[in-house]
Amino acid sequence: DLADGILWAKNSDFKNAECALTLADLPAEMQSEILGHTYDSTEKTLIKKAGDVAPYIALGFEFEMQDNSKMCVWMYKGKANPVSMSGETKGENISYGTNDLSITFAALKGGGDNTGRWQYCKEYAAGADTTSFYSSIPLATVSP
């Protein structure tokens, strides 16, 4: 909202968060788990159907800050969108393709302190062990 030509107040309601990942490899078995497709481990086949429904997933990751500390992040309630693959047939030069995966995250519902929560972040000092951050999602329950 503007007043006298300058921003006076801003109300920003969270609608969703988009996460885009470019992966060197996205195995068929993992695609079945995050996109709701059918994977046959005996035949090593992935079957994608129009009616497949992706389950809700959480995504945990970390990145290093400028001062070498780490920021660890959990994003709670996401649904992955179909994978975009790129590649080329064999030519003069070798060119490896990638898998692009996008995930849309929404806020949690259900009541209590978790209502509206969509992300959890924790800072760690430089050199700190962050493995415990990924052992469980920091919520009692994550319900859609």
Side-chain angles (χ1 to χ4, degrees):
D1 299 295
L2 296 177
D4 294 328
I6 59 172
L7 183 63
W8 185 258
K10 176 77 173 130
N11 181 8
S12 59
D13 293 330
F14 177 81
K15 293 178 182 35
N16 62 41
E18 294 289 328
C19 178
L21 305 171
T22 299
L23 309 165
D25 187 26
L26 185 58
E29 188 171 10
M30 183 177 283
Q31 287 185 49
S32 71
E33 291 175 15
I34 64 175
L35 293 163
H37 302 315
T38 302
Y39 179 71
D40 183 327
S41 60
T42 304
E43 297 293 323
K44 305 287 187 207
T45 57
L46 177 66
I47 300 169
K48 301 177 182 181
K49 295 182 180 177
D52 291 346
V53 177
Y56 285 109
I57 60 172
L59 176 66
F61 60 93
E62 71 182 61
F63 53 92
E64 193 169 308
M65 307 295 279
Q66 188 174 2
D67 64 355
N68 293 326
S69 64
K70 296 177 185 176
M71 177 66 73
C72 293
V73 178
W74 272 113
M75 296 178 77
Y76 292 119
K77 182 185 169 188
K79 281 210 178 204
N81 301 304
V83 176
S84 168
M85 294 186 215
S86 65
E88 297 177 14
T89 57
K90 188 174 181 178
E92 197 173 304
N93 298 313
I94 297 174
S95 178
Y96 295 100
T98 58
N99 297 276
D100 296 325
L101 178 66
S102 68
I103 306 170
T104 303
F105 289 90
L108 297 175
K109 297 178 184 174
D113 291 340
N114 296 336
T115 299
R117 189 185 282 208
W118 64 276
Q119 187 181 72
Y120 175 84
C121 304
K122 185 172 181 179
E123 294 179 26
Y124 288 86
D129 181 9
T130 60
T131 55
S132 64
F133 182 81
Y134 303 102
S135 61
S136 67
I137 299 172
L139 277 178
T141 59
V142 176
S143 61

